Amino acid sequence: PSLDEMVHVASEMQRLDFDLPLLIGGATTSPAHTAVKIEPNYEGPVIYVKDASRSVGVAQALVQASTRGALVEKVREENARRRDLHANKKRLAPQVPYPRAQASRFAIEWQGYTPPTPTFTGTRKIDDVSLEDLVDYIDWMPFFNAWEFHGKYPAILTDEIVGEEASKLKRDADAMLEQIIREGWLSPSAVVGFFPANSVDHDDIRIFTDGQRNEELLRLHHLRQQRGKQVGQPQLCLADFIAPRETGLADYIGGFVVSAGHGIDAHTTRFEAAHDDYSSIMLKALADRFAEAFAEYLHERVRKQFWGYAADESFSNDELIREAYAGIRPAPGYPACPDHTEKGLLWDLLDAENATGVSLTESYAMWPTASVSGFYFSHPDAKYFSVGKIARDQVESYAARKGMRIEDAERWLAPNLGYTPGAPEAADAA
């Protein structure tokens, strides 16, 4: 939801009569979004900056009277051109009506299949994991991406162009990593849970209080693809990978929350007080790597121990990074499950805040930020996918199933809408 929050911030700056320049950047942003969604809400300069290193030159030009006017005018012209291009661009609307998409669900042969049974149901806190346990599970490539290095690890360390700087960065990271572990800067925490579950009404997953499956604990809501595909190709939804209620099969779903962010604030505050931004950013990047490593480590224990459906698997870290294993762990807010509000249900299911100390903000961001959460699916055919653009017919159904106003559903699903809310064509976008 950060993109919508940026629009809100611009609107608030306008309401409060700000005239300061507003610089937009970060992994989720783009020049088009800045021009189309953000600038129209603020009369002051709104400037897209690709990464933090380039913001220095932009800021320097903005504080000098001799260069500010020309820069602002140039940016306004570029933003206006991007809005014109966007207005003339044909919208990639969903191409399959929702009922037909539901009828084209991923077909699993449930007859003869026996869902694996977890070794326990309910939740369990994981308090036997140290930072040392997680080091071998670290995927280093996203660490380099965070510093604007692109390539493959470890080849990037010997790259002709960036190898020297990448190697220096890795040495600094290794030194801090060793200090983090030696001095216990970060405290890992986690909770994992498994619950009786069946899919219902095509796109929802019903979770039960116990193995008798007579009483519903809560219901998860999922979205289905509505894209044009070749005949015979399914319109995917995560609910497809849980046995339907009518099969009579006793299926299960899992959930988890892991964090490596507890304890970080004291050290980042210390670095920032000393104006050591490099060390502060380094620590945050390493904490993120520990959190992702914890998610990878815990998923392996789930497959081999807690759920046990792949007890004999043996993968290298490279194979784990490539997700060669059976089962998936999709997270709310990501392409297969784009609605962040489902994260609230996951927190309720796991009593996550009490178990891990990880809380959710009003926009469903996790705090501490070096945290990872998601669901576990065990079916061997389960796979990751992107829901993509959806039509108003599905949004109306989704809002009704969640007991949510359609305006609220449209706000949370804004990146996935294949129509413009309130526009005449919205009702028949499919």
Side-chain angles (χ1 to χ4, degrees):
S2 60
L3 292 176
D4 287 332
E5 289 299 317
M6 293 178 191
V7 175
H8 175 67
V9 168
S11 300
E12 284 297 285
M13 290 175 70
Q14 180 64 31
R15 183 178 69 84
L16 297 170
D17 294 324
F18 275 58
D19 60 4
L20 290 171
L22 176 58
L23 274 59
I24 304 295
T28 62
T29 64
S30 70
H33 181 268
T34 302
V36 175
K37 296 291 187 178
I38 300 178
E39 189 187 60
N41 292 280
Y42 183 52
E43 294 177 1
V46 179
I47 303 172
Y48 172 77
V49 185
K50 184 177 180 181
D51 61 64
S53 65
R54 304 186 188 194
S55 66
V56 178
V58 173
Q60 190 173 35
L62 288 170
V63 298
Q64 294 179 357
S66 60
T67 54
R68 176 181 172 118
L71 174 60
V72 171
E73 184 62 27
K74 178 184 176 183
V75 169
R76 290 195 191 281
E77 291 176 358
E78 290 176 348
N79 286 344
R81 179 179 59 82
R82 288 193 174 96
R83 283 194 294 274
D84 289 341
L85 289 173
H86 180 80
N88 294 326
K89 185 178 179 181
K90 185 177 181 181
R91 177 178 290 276
L92 182 61
Q95 297 156 297
V96 178
Y98 184 44
R100 185 148 59 90
Q102 288 183 304
S104 301
R105 64 182 295 146
F106 186 77
I108 291 177
E109 183 52 65
W110 295 106
Q111 187 174 0
Y113 174 74
T114 302
T117 303
T119 58
F120 68 90
T121 55
T123 64
R124 180 177 296 181
K125 291 178 64 174
I126 306 299
D127 52 13
D128 60 347
V129 179
S130 68
L131 294 175
E132 292 95 328
D133 295 326
L134 304 178
V135 171
D136 290 341
Y137 292 83
I138 290 178
D139 178 5
W140 283 103
M141 201 58 246
F143 170 82
F144 287 101
N145 290 342
W147 295 87
E148 297 293 329
F149 287 101
H150 301 284
K152 292 186 178 181
Y153 178 82
I156 195 171
L157 300 178
T158 56
D159 183 86
E160 292 183 3
I161 299 174
V162 301
E164 183 177 351
E165 287 301 314
S167 296
K168 180 181 181 300
L169 182 66
K170 183 62 164 58
R171 287 193 296 271
D172 291 346
D174 287 340
M176 182 175 282
L177 190 72
E178 191 274 335
Q179 188 175 14
I180 290 171
I181 294 173
R182 184 180 69 251
E183 299 180 6
W185 288 8
L186 304 174
S187 301
S189 63
V191 63
V192 62
F194 306 100
F195 307 89
N198 289 106
S199 62
V200 293
D201 302 329
H202 297 289
D203 299 344
D204 288 349
I205 297 174
R206 193 178 178 192
I207 298 177
F208 301 94
T209 57
D210 55 42
Q212 299 301 313
R213 299 170 187 259
N214 294 320
E215 183 179 353
E216 183 174 302
L217 179 62
L218 58 77
R219 188 174 296 212
L220 302 174
H221 315 88
H222 290 291
L223 295 161
R224 185 171 296 280
Q225 293 175 324
Q226 289 185 264
R227 60 182 58 175
K229 295 186 177 183
Q230 294 182 350
V231 176
Q233 289 190 341
Q235 303 288 339
L236 297 174
C237 174
L238 284 175
D240 294 346
F241 306 126
I242 299 289
R245 180 70 164 156
E246 58 268 23
T247 64
L249 294 176
D251 210 346
Y252 296 84
I253 192 170
F256 73 95
V257 176
V258 303
S259 180
H262 295 297
I264 193 174
D265 289 345
H267 300 285
T268 55
T269 299
R270 172 167 56 86
F271 287 135
E272 289 162 8
H275 305 290
D276 186 357
D277 292 338
Y278 177 69
S279 294
S280 178
I281 295 170
M282 176 70 75
L283 177 54
K284 292 173 184 177
L286 289 174
D288 288 343
R289 289 301 87 219
F290 270 121
E292 293 288 352
F294 199 172
E296 197 70 78
Y297 166 90
L298 185 58
H299 197 186
E300 183 178 67
R301 286 185 68 177
V302 165
R303 298 189 304 272
K304 300 175 71 172
Q305 177 187 354
F306 298 143
W307 209 333
Y309 62 84
D312 298 329
E313 80 166 36
S314 179
F315 292 118
S316 67
N317 191 38
D318 286 343
E319 289 171 319
L320 292 177
I321 292 170
R322 295 198 304 270
E323 298 166 350
Y325 45 75
I328 57 175
R329 57 170 192 268
Y334 282 78
C337 182
D339 181 8
H340 283 270
T341 67
E342 289 291 293
K343 204 180 299 175
L345 296 176
L346 176 62
W347 251 244
D348 292 341
L349 187 64
L350 299 174
D351 192 20
E353 186 167 356
N354 286 328
T356 66
V358 180
S359 60
L360 296 176
T361 70
E362 63 181 11
S363 58
Y364 293 93
M366 292 176 286
W367 187 263
T369 56
S371 304
V372 179
S373 62
F375 297 102
Y376 291 128
F377 289 73
S378 66
H379 196 281
D381 290 338
K383 55 187 174 183
Y384 297 104
F385 61 91
S386 175
V387 168
K389 298 297 184 182
I390 58 176
R392 186 180 176 91
D393 54 359
Q394 180 166 191
V395 176
E396 289 175 340
S397 169
Y398 187 76
R401 281 151 42 205
K402 285 179 68 74
M404 177 184 284
R405 295 189 316 148
I406 190 168
E407 294 83 4
D408 293 330
E410 288 174 334
R411 180 170 67 88
W412 287 106
L413 298 174
N416 291 85
L417 297 183
Y419 63 94
T420 301
E425 72 273 13
D428 58 356

